[in-house]
Amino acid sequence: VQLQASGGGSVLTGGSLRLSCVASGGTFRGYKIGWFRQAPGKEREFVAGIRWDGGITTYVDSLKGRFTISRDITKNTVYLQMNSLEPEDTAVYYCAASSRVIQSQIGVPSSYGYWGQGTLVTVSS
């Protein structure tokens, strides 16, 4: 499966963006999909994840309430709605997918075998 992430851009503090991750060459059925981000000079970090079958979601505690992960089964797409953006949210955002990751490892980048190309989010004050 190939992943295509999109939706990044430049916004002011307090703004919103919605990122999309589309699967091609297959479906997300049986997969867990994660959103990660990597700021300059920092390690890639987990943002949110969703189990395609059933839609169970997982979030990093620090972003709960501002970010929402969801899926559209008809479009084979996973979204990351980001609200109340802050300059600290500036990063390249990646989506990733795996059919083998267990729930306890959903936040571990090395658990994923498929990655999108990343989309840049810039938040300025």
Side-chain angles (χ1 to χ4, degrees), residues 42-62:
K42 294 188 177 181
E43 294 186 353
R44 193 166 298 189
E45 64 175 355
F46 174 73
V47 173
I50 189 167
R51 191 170 73 183
W52 185 261
D53 304 319
I56 296 173
T57 58
T58 305
Y59 296 91
V60 64
D61 287 343
S62 60

Side-chain angles (χ1 to χ4, degrees), residues 16-88:
S16 298
L17 285 172
R18 188 179 75 161
L19 306 183
S20 301
C21 180
V22 181
S24 61
T27 72
F28 279 133
R29 180 177 292 183
Y31 282 76
K32 291 184 176 70
I33 302 93
W35 281 102
F36 293 79
R37 67 184 185 183
Q38 188 165 18
K42 294 188 177 181
E43 294 186 353
R44 193 166 298 189
E45 64 175 355
F46 174 73
V47 173
I50 189 167
R51 191 170 73 183
W52 185 261
D53 304 319
I56 296 173
T57 58
T58 305
Y59 296 91
V60 64
D61 287 343
S62 60
L63 297 176
K64 280 182 180 178
R66 292 199 299 124
F67 288 17
T68 303
I69 190 170
S70 63
R71 76 204 196 294
D72 186 328
I73 295 174
T74 64
K75 296 181 179 180
N76 212 32
T77 300
V78 173
Y79 301 101
L80 183 68
Q81 178 67 44
M82 306 185 295
N83 298 327
S84 301
L85 285 163
E86 303 166 354
E88 293 72 25

Side-chain angles (χ1 to χ4, degrees), residues 2-8 18-24 28 34-36 77-78 92-96 115-120:
Q2 295 178 329
L3 308 181
Q4 179 74 35
S6 63
R18 188 179 75 161
L19 306 183
S20 301
C21 180
V22 181
S24 61
F28 279 133
W35 281 102
F36 293 79
T77 300
V78 173
V92 178
Y93 284 71
Y94 299 89
C95 61
W115 289 85
Q117 82 288 3
T119 184
L120 177 62

